[in-house]
Amino acid sequence: MIAADILLDGFFAAVAAVGFGAVSDPPMRAFPRIALLAAVGHALRFCLMNCAGMDIATASLCAATAIGFGSLWLGKAIRCPMTALYIPALLPMVPGIYAYKTVFSLIMFLQSLNDPGQGMQYMQLFFLNATVSLSVIALLAAGATLPIFVFNRRAFSLTRRRKNEK
């Protein structure tokens, strides 16, 4: 059962990433790699959260780092920039439910200004969900860009041919 859940999670992340990739118009040869990166990254996060008991922020950091290094490795083969691969692959991992709950809590807080107890409860939910949303998004960005800092020269030469390849 858990293997089917992991495969389904990766599959749906791949479908979403291809959709996000189509909006940003990468080369056609990049789409299979975008789908692979999204599937592996999202499935890794799913496994870390459900099997290893890791929180969503730390699991997202690990998955984003895997996507970042994978985009460095896969981008070289098709001479495609890392960002064209990892940005669409990361987008399915943005925590939409927490962002929704953040906005919902803020609206409910504004509607309950006459009841201080209920307003305090909604403000507490607002800060909780906003903290989770922002920390996950920040760690996704940090994890995906880590390979650029580790392999700076290689990351910026993915689209160039070597002198002896001409």
Side-chain angles (χ1 to χ4, degrees):
M1 181 71 171
I2 192 76
D5 292 338
I6 293 168
L7 290 174
L8 276 175
D9 187 70
F11 173 74
F12 289 127
V15 170
V18 167
F20 288 125
V23 173
S24 62
D25 197 29
M28 287 298 289
R29 63 186 183 272
F31 281 105
R33 285 148 179 93
I34 290 170
L36 177 66
L37 288 170
V40 168
H42 212 282
L44 175 62
R45 183 174 82 167
F46 182 85
C47 288
L48 290 174
M49 288 174 59
N50 294 316
C51 299
M54 204 176 276
D55 63 289
I56 188 170
T58 309
S60 295
L61 175 65
C62 295
T65 304
I67 288 174
F69 280 108
S71 66
L72 180 67
W73 181 59
L74 294 173
K76 183 67 174 171
I78 59 170
R79 286 197 267 309
C80 188
M82 287 177 64
T83 54
L85 297 175
Y86 75 69
I87 290 176
L90 286 176
L91 286 176
M93 290 201 298
V94 172
I97 191 68
Y98 289 104
Y100 170 79
K101 288 179 180 179
T102 300
V103 173
F104 181 77
S105 298
L106 180 62
I107 291 170
M108 293 306 291
F109 168 75
L110 293 174
Q111 289 181 353
S112 64
L113 291 176
N114 295 332
D115 185 5
Q118 193 176 26
M120 186 62 78
Q121 180 184 3
Y122 285 123
M123 186 52 62
Q124 190 176 20
L125 287 172
F126 169 78
F127 282 117
L128 172 74
N129 291 311
T131 302
V132 172
S133 296
L134 295 175
S135 63
V136 169
I137 291 169
L139 290 174
L140 284 174
T145 57
L146 180 67
I148 294 174
F149 296 113
V150 174
F151 299 107
N152 193 353
R153 185 176 300 260
R154 185 169 177 205
F156 289 109
S157 66
L158 289 179
T159 58
R160 296 190 180 107
R161 294 177 188 233
R162 291 187 180 151
K163 291 180 182 178
N164 58 4
E165 287 183 29
K166 292 180 181 176

